[in-house]
Amino acid sequence: MSELTHLTMAAALEGLKAKKFSSRELTDAYLAAMEKHRDLNAYITETPDKARAMADAADQRRAKSEANGLMDGLPIGIKDLFCTDGVLTTAGSHILDGFKPTYESTVTTNLWRHGAVMLGKLNLDEFAMGSSNETSYHGPVINPWKRKNSDVKLVPGGSSGGSAAAVAARLAMAATGTDTGGSIRQPCAFTGTTGIKPTYGRCSRWGIVAFASSLDQAGPMARSVEDCAIMLSAMAGHDPKDSTSVDVAVPDFRKALTGDIRGLKVGIPKEYRLDGLSPEIAKLWDEGVAWLKAAGAEIKEISLPHTKYALPTYYIIAPAEASSNLARYDGVRFGLRVPGKTLDEMYELTREAGFGKEVKRRVMIGTYVLSAGYYDAYYLKAQRLRALIARDFTEAFKDIDVVLTPSTPSAAFGAGEQSDDPIAMYLNDVFTVTVNLAGLPGISVPAGLDSQGLPLGLQLIGRAFDEETLFRVGQVVEKSANFTAVPAGY
Amino acid sequence: MSLDTKAVAHIATLARIRVPEQDLAGLAKELNGIMTWVEQLNEVDTTGVEPMTGVEQRGLPQRPDVVNDGAMPDKILANAPEPAHGFFTVPKVVE
């Protein structure tokens, strides 16, 4: 059955249509793979009964020629940050112990409407705060990739680490992710998978556990650019329940995959060529430039002068929003409650026991920068920097159509290697975080292996609501790179 | 600007997170590390730059001011730790 788990979504749709196999067979193949590779800890909750019922329903629709959804019969995993009706939703946190939502997030509702099949809920950093999936209350996720001749366990990146590991290890055909500072693109780069953070407002945030509301955005993670295009068409769309979801038409993103990028102007930001950038990453970036040039694109150096301030800006704005969003976890309405003699004591003990170290750190930073006397110096200052970072992109996009950068400053690192130093961990998002601050779309495409045999990704950044260009150029990168490597043993 | 253990204890109270006395010094060191790192934003002159609260919107959408959801107390209370008689419960607040 392993051949079934190696199909792309696009190929599986053809197979289902031609009745070469059923959704039930496809789903059973994935359920077997999930059981076999539980050591990766990619799933927090497996939902085999639900998966089989949804697959059988898809097969019945197909038999009656009613399989009209974009993903009819395709089994996928859901990051455990999306509320799923009646299915445990943890956000990777102890504080949501036992939480079974009585409603379904808009994005997952859209996916089920398009016929997708739910395999289970995927592990993540606690409240999506992390770059290595080591902060989850449900334990770290292991990257299916290993360095050549080494048994060292590597992280899958984060926060959508379970999603990335599952897609790479063939434990899900694709998965949902969310991206606040790089949480789709960085784990995709670390696992040789493809993922897009859409424009802010493209997907509804309703029913997604909130981290930093002005930055959070859901997106697909899959094994090809085409699969991401299919899945984003299914996920996206205006939702009156999220006032920041934008009422624009969702194109059939697959139609953008023409392969023709002649005359397209590609910007190369000089500020991303960091001091001490790994020579392997620099070389891959140069190769990317050469591929796009060979395909007829025009390359231009651009300047995004406030790039170096993006991470510190983010580490004021995101914790500030998080401290406000996470105020709801107080032991009263859902999840964990630790009894206390007074109301305040109950709040304090519940939050002490329920939140992990990184979440506490960020809630406290956020509380501090929003507190009386510091609000102007930190929070307002960061919002002004955010405006300058966004303006850098607006200026750059006057002369170019798309930006090409590396996705991450390094390949996947070893478990525990960066967890002692928060700032070293934060630097993982140095190339991705600007995109969230500006609200733009960004895609990470696997583009090669480093000398240790680990995947590396290239990122493309586009204008707001121009995911089509990202898919088109992304597929050119994908074809030029001809990335066919698969982690050994999967 | 450096945070001492007293300041950290105050922030923890504001955030309603209990921090044991013996953890305050370590936490102060970590938070100071991060706050020192973000100080670099002061290198940039932002005079006259409007703060960006979020991605530019085309104005907030409006809808008729009518009740369009609700009447589902069982669903609302389904995940409450200790619901009673159709209500959430908390420790006694008023003596």
Side-chain angles (χ1 to χ4, degrees):
Chain A
M1 294 306 260
S2 71
E3 295 141 36
L4 284 182
T5 59
H6 279 252
L7 295 174
T8 60
M9 295 198 328
L13 282 171
E14 291 304 315
L16 287 168
K17 213 167 165 185
K19 309 253 160 66
K20 285 189 184 153
F21 47 82
S22 65
S23 171
R24 179 61 186 264
E25 286 168 316
L26 192 59
T27 300
D28 279 335
Y30 274 102
L31 291 172
M34 285 156 64
E35 206 178 312
K36 191 171 158 196
H37 296 294
R38 286 205 179 118
D39 55 318
L40 295 180
N41 201 27
Y43 283 86
I44 291 174
T45 306
E46 296 177 7
T47 54
D49 296 343
K50 202 176 173 81
R52 291 193 182 100
M54 290 173 96
D56 289 344
D59 286 331
Q60 281 164 23
R61 282 193 298 273
R62 184 128 353 236
K64 288 190 256 174
S65 304
E66 287 169 3
N68 301 321
L70 288 171
M71 295 174 62
D72 220 307
L74 302 183
I76 60 169
I78 299 297
K79 185 179 186 179
D80 206 12
L81 203 64
F82 292 79
C83 288
T84 41
D85 197 352
V87 176
L88 184 68
T89 299
T90 70
S93 182
H94 184 29
I95 212 159
L96 274 170
D97 272 3
F99 176 57
K100 287 186 179 170
T102 53
Y103 51 88
E104 186 79 25
S105 83
T106 298
V107 161
T108 48
T109 301
N110 290 345
L111 288 166
W112 313 145
R113 203 184 59 237
H114 278 286
V117 169
M118 176 159 95
L119 293 168
K121 303 293 292 288
L122 292 158
N123 208 340
L124 70 161
D125 278 299
E126 186 180 5
F127 285 108
M129 298 181 193
S131 302
S132 64
N133 217 122
E134 292 171 290
T135 72
S136 170
Y137 177 71
H138 301 275
V141 175
I142 312 296
N143 192 330
W145 290 86
K146 284 196 159 65
R147 292 177 185 134
K148 259 185 229 162
N149 308 319
S150 158
D151 244 354
V152 172
K153 284 182 179 158
L154 303 178
V155 304
S159 67
S160 310
S163 300
V167 173
R170 275 65 187 164
L171 312 184
M173 193 146 243
T176 59
T178 61
D179 189 316
T180 305
S183 281
I184 286 176
R185 293 159 286 157
Q186 184 254 16
C188 278
F190 277 17
T191 56
T193 55
T194 305
I196 182 167
K197 182 206 90 74
T199 310
Y200 184 80
R202 179 66 94 176
C203 291
S204 168
R205 291 181 297 106
W206 194 83
I208 301 174
V209 174
F211 162 16
S213 303
S214 79
L215 302 163
D216 297 345
Q217 185 60 205
M221 299 166 72
R223 293 196 292 258
S224 74
V225 171
E226 184 179 22
D227 285 5
C228 282
I230 295 170
M231 188 159 161
L232 184 59
S233 292
M235 291 168 71
H238 176 242
D239 176 14
K241 287 189 283 198
D242 172 6
S243 64
T244 64
S245 110
V246 177
D247 194 1
V248 293
V250 181
D252 178 354
F253 289 116
R254 261 173 122 173
K255 292 210 173 110
L257 303 174
T258 60
D260 184 2
I261 61 163
R262 284 173 298 174
L264 203 82
K265 296 192 183 81
V266 180
I268 308 298
K270 59 178 184 194
E271 290 81 4
Y272 281 51
R273 211 164 274 279
L274 307 173
D275 293 340
L277 180 66
S278 130
E280 289 191 294
I281 304 259
K283 183 169 157 274
L284 183 80
W285 195 8
D286 291 340
E287 275 173 10
V289 169
W291 294 331
L292 297 184
K293 210 188 261 178
E298 190 186 322
I299 309 296
K300 285 188 153 191
E301 187 184 80
I302 58 163
S303 175
L304 300 167
H306 296 92
T307 297
K308 69 174 278 211
Y309 301 107
L311 271 176
T313 297
Y314 176 84
Y315 276 97
I316 292 174
I317 290 174
E321 294 187 21
S323 73
S324 171
N325 272 324
L326 270 59
R328 74 192 68 180
Y329 305 104
D330 57 6
V332 176
R333 288 159 299 159
F334 31 66
L336 185 74
R337 164 181 285 197
V338 177
K341 287 191 289 294
T342 63
L343 184 59
D344 274 333
E345 190 178 87
M346 186 189 81
Y347 290 158
E348 290 187 350
L349 295 176
T350 298
R351 290 161 67 82
E352 179 193 14
F355 290 149
K357 203 174 167 197
E358 179 64 20
V359 171
K360 283 179 187 167
R361 188 153 49 208
R362 294 203 200 182
V363 167
M364 291 184 63
I365 293 274
T367 303
Y368 177 57
V369 301
L370 291 177
S371 65
Y374 302 100
Y375 183 91
D376 287 9
Y378 291 116
Y379 187 59
L380 273 186
K381 180 78 184 180
Q383 287 190 319
R384 292 185 212 280
L385 257 301
R386 183 177 182 182
L388 294 176
I389 291 159
R391 191 193 290 168
D392 284 353
F393 279 103
T394 309
E395 290 300 314
F397 278 118
K398 286 179 181 163
D399 299 321
I400 51 152
D401 302 301
V402 69
V403 177
L404 177 74
T405 79
S407 299
T408 56
S410 77
F413 47 88
E417 272 177 21
Q418 294 190 5
S419 45
D420 291 340
D421 180 354
I423 294 171
M425 187 66 90
Y426 297 168
L427 287 172
N428 272 288
D429 289 337
V430 65
F431 297 133
T432 49
V433 75
T434 50
V435 175
N436 301 76
L437 290 167
L440 302 175
I443 191 170
S444 176
V445 179
L449 296 176
D450 72 1
S451 56
Q452 297 183 299
L454 296 179
L456 297 171
L458 287 174
Q459 173 182 236
L460 295 157
I461 304 168
R463 293 189 181 95
F465 296 100
D466 188 16
E467 287 86 354
E468 286 161 292
T469 296
L470 295 192
F471 286 128
R472 179 155 50 241
V473 184
Q475 200 183 45
V476 170
V477 170
E478 179 179 67
K479 286 193 169 151
S480 309
N482 191 25
F483 184 91
T484 52
V486 172
Y490 300 90
Chain B
M1 177 65 226
S2 182
L3 294 164
D4 56 19
T5 52
K6 204 176 142 214
V8 173
H10 177 61
I11 297 166
T13 304
L14 289 176
R16 298 293 186 272
I17 297 174
R18 179 70 54 93
V19 177
E21 187 73 37
Q22 68 268 23
D23 293 351
L24 286 172
L27 194 53
K29 194 166 163 253
E30 278 174 18
L31 297 188
N32 276 319
I34 296 168
M35 294 318 293
T36 306
W37 174 66
V38 302
E39 296 281 336
Q40 58 178 297
L41 298 188
N42 293 327
E43 295 166 12
V44 185
D45 181 3
T46 51
T47 317
V49 179
E50 276 299 303
M52 178 176 170
T53 50
V55 179
E56 205 169 313
Q57 298 287 331
R58 301 155 193 202
L60 274 176
Q62 301 198 342
R63 65 166 178 83
D65 185 16
V66 293
V67 176
N68 63 1
D69 206 355
M72 52 178 96
D74 293 347
K75 282 190 169 189
I76 303 287
L77 289 169
N79 283 289
E82 294 171 80
H85 317 295
F87 291 97
F88 298 112
T89 60
V90 294
K92 204 170 185 181
V93 178
V94 183
E95 288 299 329

